[in-house]
């Protein structure tokens, strides 16, 4: 303890002391609340709500609300919140993390801040690690909330849209981190405001916060899918450019300028752009009509065919601007882009906007319908959006720095209600795995004979099975839990405290269910109580009998030493070891724990093996004898610290890269949401139009220029060919000598507005606004998807490119920003062009088009988180640091990758033949 800590007490102690004072105030209200009738107590909720609505802060009603919640819990759940639970409740309410041991009652503790914050009516999200826990806790604690007049919803992945809206509309919503995150992403992909399910991110209580915000935060949530399959269309349209001719500008013989040799399109190699002339446009329409792609008499400008012109331009660019062995090569039936400047092949990279497919069609190779990221977010960035975030867990303290650094969350360690009596024994280190398993078997056998229950924690399913085989051979009955069937496993783990019980579990299995010494009879008692066939007397008698039996079992187990925990390996972080140990010694129970290690263990082999072996040799340890010394434990701990630091680094890198995308995502999503909610698009569209046409005019009639500098014929041509605006500017200038550049801009605006108003007049303001909204949303979505892919490539490339003296992260940021600006320009251009050039005949037509656009433009949509499936490369999923360090163990893979799946390291080998060999 440092000198200052001694004098002032640690911050933790000071906070506890402060909260303790509030607890006394809460306790003081108890006698009075106890006298209230149920109705009077229940009426408190409405009273609080009214006060909050009138402006009272939640902080100001905390004391009363906590007191009411406790009193209600006493009546409904027959549990009275302990004082330490009150303290924990305050920690959560103030947006911090409460560390509280397993079995201390975090579920009940959570009800206090949840009740208080629900009073604001803005919603409270309770986040759990799996659906089973969400459901269990919601049903259990939901009784209390509903008694107090608040609604509880459960947000499960299989719910349909309406049910989800109901769940989110509830005062309190339980669900998993994945589901909350995916819903957020999905809400930002809808085409109508009413299709969103969430209603803002207000207050979240994250249960097992370390698992969710740390372990699971190493990979982002990703929604991916394939763009709609247009293969046929690409091949057909590929025929069109061959029938069109390039318009060539030729120098006049006297050198006075250029004359045009008429043709169907022009090209600008620098800007990589092509443009159909008026004649070319007509010709293309005829060809497309002949091919049956465009109905007789229809125009490329018709609303129903707006995608066709897109395809046509892509094909034209592919033919006119992109050349084999210069811009790309054909390799193994694939188009591989060649970097123009370095000549290097950019394998895996694709051009956007349909160009790549057009080139594939041109070369007659297979048109790839590649998997695209449609949306993605890290948990860090998702959870940071909550106005107030809080969390609870049994093990946060070792990660307090990260919580503070990344989430701005402070960790407060809550003392146990009754101090634990668990004895954590020294690790035993053996030379070989065989000796280790032999020693474990002896330990388990001994417990079994004495009737002491044992929980054996393993790091992987393989290890569980190996151990299970050993126990079967020794004729020891046992259960194996693999975190596959959460509900069933919860039941087994609830009984893992019975005499002689032997349970093998991976660290994920049976989480959130606490192990009562002697087994859990609560459920059986409930069943009896609920059995209407029994008389009250019978019920009481049977329940009592069960409790008596339990009492004797409980006594037996307590005498045998409580629950014994065996660790088969140290985990990659000390926190996970503590999670395992924490399963024993709940609520002041006795218990013990011991980890068995061997030099073959992954962690030791890679990080500490040599040192420990040297120690063993120095001590001249005979074969089969374990070493049990502080110096070894310290080596192991330092190895764990190394792994922890590396994992922290991976998460931080992922976050730093995602932060760039995050700022951009926020802009795009905000824009999208404003669009969804906007009734009137007039202002937005007119400002877009004006900006666009001002740019076009100024390109030909520069600001503050004189007439000699103007290029009116050029402007006329562009307006006509590109925008379907026919304006006789040359003539105007000739007949009106005083015409200024500003006048010209005005005339252009007028013409554009007129054309626009004429369209609005045909279909009505509302329908046209709907159409504009859809065009805009679709354009945003398409470009955003391509932007995400571009960012991905950029991120990978930035590390391959040797940036001399340059910080890759800075470079990434700079380039990502440029790409983003370009994307915004493309969106504007796209939208204005479509809206200005679209030809509309009727309202029905435009509404049909709008409906068409709102349909999903992608297929095979996948929701991924950390399930490294074959379709996702690890580069997609992880920040570069994660695979740069592939010589180091990646224990968590073992739980998630199938043995026959491709190894996530990207080697192309099967997992079991690559990194899976380690596990
Ligand atoms: P944790 O999540 O902290 O491991 P749980 O919320 O699962 O613990 O609670 C463990 C057990 O303690 C539960 O069976 C619960 O009923 C019981 N419990 C919690 N708080 C109280 C209390 N104040 N009074 C009585 N029992 C409680």
């Amino acid at each position: 303890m440092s000198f200052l800590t001694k004098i002032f007490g640690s911050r933790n102690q000071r906070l506890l002391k402060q909260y303790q004072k509030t607890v006394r105030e809460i306790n003081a209200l108890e006698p009075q609340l106890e006298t209230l009738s149920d109705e009077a107590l229940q009426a408190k909720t409405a009273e609080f709500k009214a006060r909050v609505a009138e402006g009272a802060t939640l902080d100001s009603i905390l004391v009363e609300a906590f007191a009411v919640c406790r009193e209600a819990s006493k009546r409904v759940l027959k549990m009275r919140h302990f004082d330490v639970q009150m303290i924990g409740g305050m920690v959560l309410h103030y947006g911090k993390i409460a560390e509280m041991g397993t079995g201390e009652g975090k579920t009940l503790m959570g009800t206090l801040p949840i009740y208080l914050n629900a009073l604001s009516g803005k919603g409270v999200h309770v986040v759990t690690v799996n659906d089973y826990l969400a459901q269990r806790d919601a049903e259990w604690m939901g009784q209390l909330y509903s008694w107090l007049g608040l609604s509880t919803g459960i947000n499960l992945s299989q719910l349909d849209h309406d049910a989800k809206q109901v769940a989110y509309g509830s005062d309190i919503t339980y669900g998993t981190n994945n589901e909350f995150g995916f819903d957020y992403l999905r809400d930002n992909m809808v085409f109508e405001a009413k299709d969103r399910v969430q209603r803002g991110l207000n207050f979240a209580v994250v249960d097992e916060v370390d698992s969710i915000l740390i372990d699971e935060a190493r990979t982002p949530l990703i929604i991916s899918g394939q763009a709609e399959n247009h293969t046929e269309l690409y091949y057909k349209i590929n025929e069109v450019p061959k029938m069109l001719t390039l318009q060539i500008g030729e120098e006049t013989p006297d050198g006075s300028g250029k004359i045009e040799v008429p043709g169907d399109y022009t090209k600008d190699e620098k800007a990589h752009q092509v443009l159909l002339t008026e004649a070319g446009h007509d010709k293309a329409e005829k060809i497309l009509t002949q091919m049956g792609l465009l109905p007789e008499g229809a125009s490329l400008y018709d609303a129903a065919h707006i995608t066709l012109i897109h395809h046509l331009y892509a094909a034209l660019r592919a033919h006119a601007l992109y050349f084999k062995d210069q811009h790309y090569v054909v390799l193994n039936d694939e188009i591989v882009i060649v970097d123009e400047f370095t000549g290097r092949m950019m394998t895996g990279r694709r051009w956007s906007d349909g160009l790549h497919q057009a080139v594939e069609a041109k070369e007659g190779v297979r048109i790839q319908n590649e998997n695209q990221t449609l949306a993605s977010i890290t948990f860090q960035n998702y959870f940071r959006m909550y106005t107030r975030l809080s969390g609870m867990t049994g093990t946060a303290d070792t990660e307090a720095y990260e919580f503070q650094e990344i989430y701005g969350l402070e960790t407060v360690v809550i003392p146990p209600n009754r101090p634990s009596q668990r004895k954590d024994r020294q690790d035993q280190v053996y030379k070989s795995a065989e000796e280790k398993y032999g020693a474990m078997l002896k330990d388990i056998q001994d417990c079994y004979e004495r009737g002491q229950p044992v929980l054996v924690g393993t790091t992987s399913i393989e290890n569980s099975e190996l151990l299970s085989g050993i126990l079967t051979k020794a004729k020891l009955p046992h259960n194996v839990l693999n975190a596959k069937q959460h509900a069933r496993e919860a039941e087994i783990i609830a009984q893992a405290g019975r005499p002689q019980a032997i349970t093998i579990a991976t660290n994920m299995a049976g989480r959130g269910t606490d192990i009562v010494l002697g087994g859990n009879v609560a459920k059986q008692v409930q069943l009896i109580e609920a059995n209407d066939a029994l008389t009250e007397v019978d019920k009481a008698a049977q329940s009592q009998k069960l409790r008596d039996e339990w009492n004797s079992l409980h006594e037996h187990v307590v005498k045998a030493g409580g629950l014994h925990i065996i660790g088969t390996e140290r985990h990659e972080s000390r926190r996970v070891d503590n999670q395992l140990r924490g399963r024993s010694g709940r609520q002041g129970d006795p218990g013990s724990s011991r980890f068995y290690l061997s030099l073959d263990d992954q962690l030791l082999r890679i990080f500490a093996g040599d040192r420990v072996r040297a120690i063993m040799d120095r001590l001249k340890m005979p074969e089969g004898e374990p070493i049990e010394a502080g110096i070894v434990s310290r080596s192991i701990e330092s190895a764990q610290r190394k792994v922890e630091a590396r994992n922290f680094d991976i998460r931080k890198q992922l976050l730093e890269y995602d932060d760039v995308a995050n700022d951009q995502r926020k802009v795009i999503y905000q824009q999208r949401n404003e669009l969804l909610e906007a009734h009137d698009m007039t202002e937005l569209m007119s400002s877009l139009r004006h900006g666009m046409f001002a740019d076009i005019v100024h390109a030909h009639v520069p600001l503050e220029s004189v007439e000699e500098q103007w290029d009116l014929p050029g402007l006329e041509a562009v307006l006509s060919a590109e925008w379907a605006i026919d304006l006789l500017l040359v003539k105007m200038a000739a007949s009106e000598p005083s015409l200024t550049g500003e006048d010209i801009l005005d005339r252009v605006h007028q013409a554009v507005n007129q054309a626009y108003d004429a369209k609005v007049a045909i279909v009505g303001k509302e329908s046209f606004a709907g159409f504009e909204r859809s065009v805009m949303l679709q354009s945003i979505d398409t470009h955003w998807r391509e932007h995400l892919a571009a960012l991905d490539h950029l991120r990978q490339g930035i590390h391959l490119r040797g940036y001399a003296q340059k910080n890759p992260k800075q470079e990434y940021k700079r380039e990502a920003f440029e790409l983003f600006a370009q994307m915004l320009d493309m969106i504007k251009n796209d939208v204005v062009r479509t809206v200005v050039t679209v030809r509309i005949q009727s309202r029905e037509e435009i509404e049909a088009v709008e409906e068409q656009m709102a349909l999903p433009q992608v297929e095979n949509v996948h929701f991924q988180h950390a399930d490294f499936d074959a379709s996702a490369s690890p580069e997609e999923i992880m920040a570069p640091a994660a695979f740069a360090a592939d010589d180091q163990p990646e224990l968590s893979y073992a739980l998630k990758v199938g043995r026959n799946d491709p190894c996530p390291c990207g080697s192309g080998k099967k997992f079991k033949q690559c990194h899976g060999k380690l596990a």
Side-chain angles (χ1 to χ4, degrees):
M1 219 189 279
S2 80
F3 175 67
L4 284 175
T5 316
K6 259 187 216 153
I7 298 193
F8 297 110
S10 70
R11 169 153 172 87
N12 206 70
Q13 286 162 348
R14 271 179 287 140
L15 278 175
L16 291 179
K17 231 176 174 171
Q18 183 190 327
Y19 294 151
Q20 190 67 52
K21 236 165 65 201
T22 314
V23 172
R24 283 196 288 273
E25 290 173 41
I26 297 168
N27 291 351
L29 295 179
E30 192 166 6
Q32 177 210 335
L33 287 178
E34 275 176 335
T35 65
L36 291 184
S37 68
D38 283 358
E39 291 72 26
L41 189 62
Q42 286 166 321
K44 288 281 180 189
T45 301
E47 181 204 316
F48 292 148
K49 273 189 173 175
R51 275 159 62 187
V52 173
E54 277 160 26
T57 62
L58 294 180
D59 294 1
S60 72
I61 57 170
L62 183 145
V63 170
E64 288 168 83
F66 274 30
V68 165
C69 186
R70 175 196 264 172
E71 185 58 32
S73 166
K74 278 158 60 182
R75 300 187 193 185
V76 182
L77 302 173
K78 310 280 180 276
M79 290 191 280
R80 177 182 177 278
H81 294 80
F82 304 129
D83 285 1
V84 286
Q85 286 172 317
M86 288 281 166
I87 292 178
M90 277 179 251
V91 170
L92 296 177
H93 171 72
Y94 290 115
K96 302 180 197 300
I97 289 178
E99 175 179 298
M100 193 184 225
T102 316
E104 290 288 317
K106 287 184 280 295
T107 321
L108 187 65
M109 163 176 90
T111 58
L112 300 161
I114 293 168
Y115 173 66
L116 174 61
N117 283 268
L119 295 169
S120 74
K122 291 185 196 152
V124 174
H125 292 176
V126 188
V127 186
T128 63
V129 289
N130 60 47
D131 275 350
Y132 163 74
L133 290 173
Q135 191 143 14
R136 185 198 71 178
D137 292 355
E139 278 164 12
W140 189 14
M141 297 300 141
Q143 302 169 49
L144 173 62
Y145 304 132
S146 95
W147 194 87
L148 282 165
L150 296 176
S151 56
T152 309
I154 313 177
N155 178 33
L156 301 171
S157 52
Q158 63 270 26
L159 294 186
D160 65 19
H161 173 265
D162 291 355
K164 266 190 183 275
Q165 266 180 345
V166 173
Y168 278 111
S170 308
D171 292 306
I172 300 152
T173 312
Y174 281 77
T176 65
N177 46 333
N178 281 4
E179 208 47 33
F180 282 120
F182 281 134
D183 283 335
Y184 170 75
L185 293 178
R186 275 188 291 247
D187 270 2
N188 283 291
M189 295 166 80
V190 301
F191 261 66
E192 289 195 56
K194 68 172 171 46
D195 290 336
R196 290 178 298 193
V197 294
Q198 291 189 339
R199 48 167 187 135
L201 305 177
N202 177 44
F203 176 59
V205 178
V206 182
D207 193 8
E208 306 213 29
V209 64
D210 52 334
S211 292
I212 292 176
L213 296 191
I214 292 196
D215 297 333
E216 304 216 5
R218 246 189 303 176
T219 52
L221 291 174
I222 297 174
I223 302 183
S224 65
Q226 292 171 326
E228 255 180 315
N229 196 340
H230 291 302
T231 304
E232 278 286 299
L233 187 58
Y234 281 113
Y235 280 129
K236 277 193 180 163
I237 293 232
N238 181 48
E239 300 303 319
V240 182
K242 298 174 197 166
M243 297 182 238
L244 302 176
T245 57
L246 180 65
Q247 172 162 304
I248 314 166
E250 273 184 7
E251 294 292 317
T252 48
D254 61 1
S256 64
K258 276 185 173 177
I259 53 160
E260 304 266 296
V261 178
D264 300 319
Y265 64 93
T266 58
K267 66 174 179 182
D268 175 347
E269 308 216 7
K270 248 193 261 142
H272 289 281
Q273 278 307 336
V274 290
L275 191 57
L276 283 172
T277 60
E278 236 180 299
H281 193 97
D282 292 344
K283 195 161 160 191
E285 278 180 354
K286 280 204 195 81
I287 299 171
L288 291 170
T289 310
Q290 272 164 20
M291 294 174 103
L293 291 175
L294 197 63
E296 200 71 47
S299 153
L300 272 174
Y301 290 135
D302 284 344
H305 309 298
I306 39 182
T307 52
L308 208 53
I309 192 147
H310 216 84
H311 280 98
L312 179 60
Y313 268 107
L316 207 50
R317 289 171 70 208
H319 281 267
L321 296 167
Y322 291 84
F323 300 106
K324 191 166 138 182
D325 296 332
Q326 181 187 345
H327 298 103
Y328 62 90
V329 293
V330 180
L331 204 71
N332 305 327
D333 205 34
E334 271 181 39
I335 302 297
V336 182
I337 300 179
V338 174
D339 185 295
E340 270 187 80
F341 303 106
T342 63
R344 254 202 3 231
M345 288 199 276
M346 324 262 276
T347 315
R349 191 158 179 169
R350 292 175 66 86
W351 284 303
S352 60
D353 242 5
L355 176 64
H356 209 93
Q357 292 89 328
V359 174
E360 285 168 334
K362 174 178 140 194
E363 294 298 339
V365 304
R366 195 170 60 83
I367 292 180
Q368 292 190 15
N369 192 13
E370 91 273 32
N371 222 41
Q372 276 187 322
T373 298
L374 308 180
S376 120
I377 193 168
T378 55
F379 281 128
Q380 290 94 327
N381 277 322
Y382 173 72
F383 281 106
R384 289 200 296 199
M385 285 189 294
Y386 281 87
T387 312
R388 194 188 300 218
L389 178 63
S390 68
M392 48 193 189
T393 173
T395 43
D397 205 28
T398 51
E399 248 70 24
Y401 175 72
E402 180 162 348
F403 284 126
Q404 185 69 55
E405 188 81 345
I406 306 263
Y407 298 94
L409 287 171
E410 184 179 8
T411 302
V412 181
V413 181
I414 318 278
N417 186 39
R418 269 182 290 164
S420 160
Q421 297 181 49
R422 190 184 66 231
K423 293 189 181 72
D424 295 323
R425 308 226 156 82
Q426 277 288 357
D427 295 352
Q428 287 195 347
V429 187
Y430 291 84
K431 275 192 174 155
S432 72
E434 211 183 327
E435 292 166 33
K436 171 175 100 170
Y437 280 106
M440 259 188 282
L441 177 63
K442 243 197 206 146
D443 193 354
I444 297 170
Q445 193 131 31
D446 171 59
C447 289
Y448 181 75
E449 277 157 15
R450 289 183 296 104
Q452 183 177 19
V454 199
L455 176 72
V456 190
T458 69
T459 51
S460 68
I461 294 176
E462 280 86 356
N463 278 348
S464 289
E465 276 161 10
L466 175 69
L467 193 66
S468 169
I470 295 174
L471 294 188
T472 307
K473 221 160 146 198
K475 300 210 166 56
L476 290 171
H478 59 277
N479 278 307
V480 184
L481 312 183
N482 289 331
K484 291 243 165 89
Q485 301 153 287
H486 298 301
R488 201 183 70 89
E489 294 184 4
E491 251 162 55
I492 296 178
I493 207 101
Q495 304 305 342
R498 289 177 165 256
Q500 291 195 314
I502 302 174
T503 315
I504 303 173
T506 57
N507 66 344
M508 311 290 239
R511 294 199 282 192
T513 301
D514 84 323
I515 304 176
V516 182
L517 299 187
N520 195 333
V521 286
K523 209 161 185 186
Q524 286 141 289
V525 171
Q526 262 174 22
L527 284 180
I528 292 170
E529 302 280 344
N531 186 348
D532 292 334
L534 295 175
T535 64
E536 288 303 316
V537 180
D538 283 347
K539 279 183 192 174
Q542 291 195 12
S543 304
Q544 195 51 48
K545 187 163 163 264
L546 269 174
R547 288 209 185 87
D548 290 344
E549 274 170 22
W550 176 81
N551 262 331
S552 87
L553 292 178
H554 180 78
E555 281 306 305
H556 182 108
V557 172
V558 169
K559 271 208 201 97
L563 179 66
H564 182 51
I565 301 284
I566 292 181
T568 57
E569 210 175 305
R570 282 292 200 104
H571 299 87
E572 54 183 350
S573 83
R574 291 164 292 161
R575 180 170 46 84
V576 183
D577 292 343
N578 292 340
Q579 276 173 7
L580 178 60
R581 284 198 186 102
R583 295 238 167 142
S584 164
R586 60 179 286 283
Q587 297 277 354
D589 282 344
S592 53
S593 77
R594 162 106 74 197
F595 278 78
Y596 289 88
L597 316 179
S598 91
L599 295 181
D600 293 336
D601 292 354
Q602 184 157 255
L603 186 76
L604 267 84
R605 210 178 54 220
I606 296 172
F607 289 105
D610 293 344
R611 244 187 108 193
V612 179
R613 197 180 291 276
I615 298 170
M616 286 179 120
D617 286 346
R618 211 167 335 123
L619 295 176
K620 300 213 167 44
M621 305 288 304
E623 289 301 313
E625 278 292 311
I627 172 169
E628 212 182 305
I631 179 165
V632 177
S633 300
R634 277 195 298 280
S635 292
I636 293 164
E637 205 179 300
S638 104
Q640 284 177 315
R641 280 177 200 273
K642 270 190 243 168
V643 185
E644 284 166 23
R646 187 183 70 94
N647 285 337
F648 176 50
D649 229 48
I650 292 174
R651 291 186 293 268
K652 217 169 137 204
Q653 288 246 17
L654 173 66
L655 185 63
E656 276 166 354
Y657 280 94
D658 189 58
D659 274 347
V660 177
N662 195 47
D663 292 341
Q664 303 181 350
R665 177 172 42 230
K666 277 191 194 153
V667 173
I668 291 292
Y669 284 3
Q670 190 193 341
Q671 185 77 61
R672 255 191 135 271
N673 280 314
E674 280 172 14
L675 275 175
L676 289 178
E677 280 152 26
H679 292 294
D680 189 359
M681 307 274 296
T682 329
E683 212 169 297
L684 173 69
M685 292 311 294
S686 98
S687 94
L688 282 182
R689 264 198 329 267
H690 282 216
M692 184 109 264
F693 282 97
D695 287 349
I696 295 170
V697 170
H698 290 145
H700 297 85
V701 182
L703 278 170
E704 292 173 25
S705 61
V706 289
E707 207 176 327
E708 285 70 41
Q709 295 168 280
W710 297 358
D711 173 18
L712 291 183
L715 181 56
E716 235 183 76
V718 164
L719 288 175
S720 157
E722 235 181 298
W723 301 93
I725 303 274
D726 293 312
L727 208 56
L728 302 175
L729 293 169
V730 180
K731 240 190 191 166
M732 269 180 218
S735 62
E736 297 174 57
S738 61
L739 204 70
T740 64
E742 267 168 47
D743 294 336
I744 293 181
L745 182 57
D746 275 350
R747 302 278 162 97
V748 172
H749 281 329
Q750 270 171 26
V752 174
N753 289 346
Q754 242 170 34
Y756 180 83
D757 292 342
K759 275 177 244 194
V760 177
I762 295 175
V763 298
K765 207 170 161 184
E766 209 171 300
S767 292
F768 202 70
F771 170 71
E772 287 172 325
R773 187 199 330 272
S774 296
V775 169
M776 187 113 188
L777 289 173
Q778 203 186 59
S779 178
I780 289 179
D781 290 354
T782 316
H783 285 102
W784 175 244
R785 284 204 298 267
E786 296 192 334
H787 181 68
L788 287 177
L791 285 186
D792 246 9
H793 286 304
L794 180 62
R795 196 183 61 203
Q796 290 158 34
I798 228 95
H799 275 257
L800 300 175
R801 263 187 258 172
Y803 266 105
Q805 256 76 64
K806 281 187 184 164
N807 175 347
K809 232 170 280 155
Q810 283 305 326
E811 285 301 296
Y812 173 77
K813 267 190 198 164
R814 198 179 52 74
E815 289 197 30
F817 184 76
E818 274 171 25
L819 283 175
F820 188 65
Q822 281 170 19
M823 178 192 69
L824 292 181
D825 279 345
M826 282 197 280
I827 293 175
K828 280 188 219 159
N829 197 313
D830 240 29
V831 172
V832 176
R833 182 183 306 275
T834 308
V835 171
V836 170
T837 57
V838 69
R839 205 178 76 166
I840 301 165
Q841 268 128 359
S842 69
R843 182 192 190 124
E844 290 70 37
E845 182 195 4
I846 204 102
E847 283 175 354
V849 172
E850 192 193 326
E851 230 163 77
Q852 185 67 30
M853 276 196 280
L855 295 178
Q857 310 290 320
V858 284
E859 36 195 37
N860 297 334
V861 176
H862 279 290
F863 299 93
Q864 295 160 245
H865 175 248
D867 58 345
F868 297 86
D869 67 8
S871 63
S873 70
E875 290 91 333
E876 271 173 358
I877 299 171
M878 296 186 125
F883 42 92
D886 63 3
D887 54 332
Q888 294 176 354
E890 198 57 75
L891 299 173
S892 54
Y893 282 158
L895 300 170
K896 290 155 190 161
V897 190
R899 304 203 19 90
N900 282 314
D901 292 343
C903 188
C905 78
S907 65
K909 285 191 250 176
K910 284 186 177 174
F911 178 60
K912 64 179 178 195
Q913 282 147 0
C914 189
H915 282 68
K917 264 208 291 213
L918 300 175

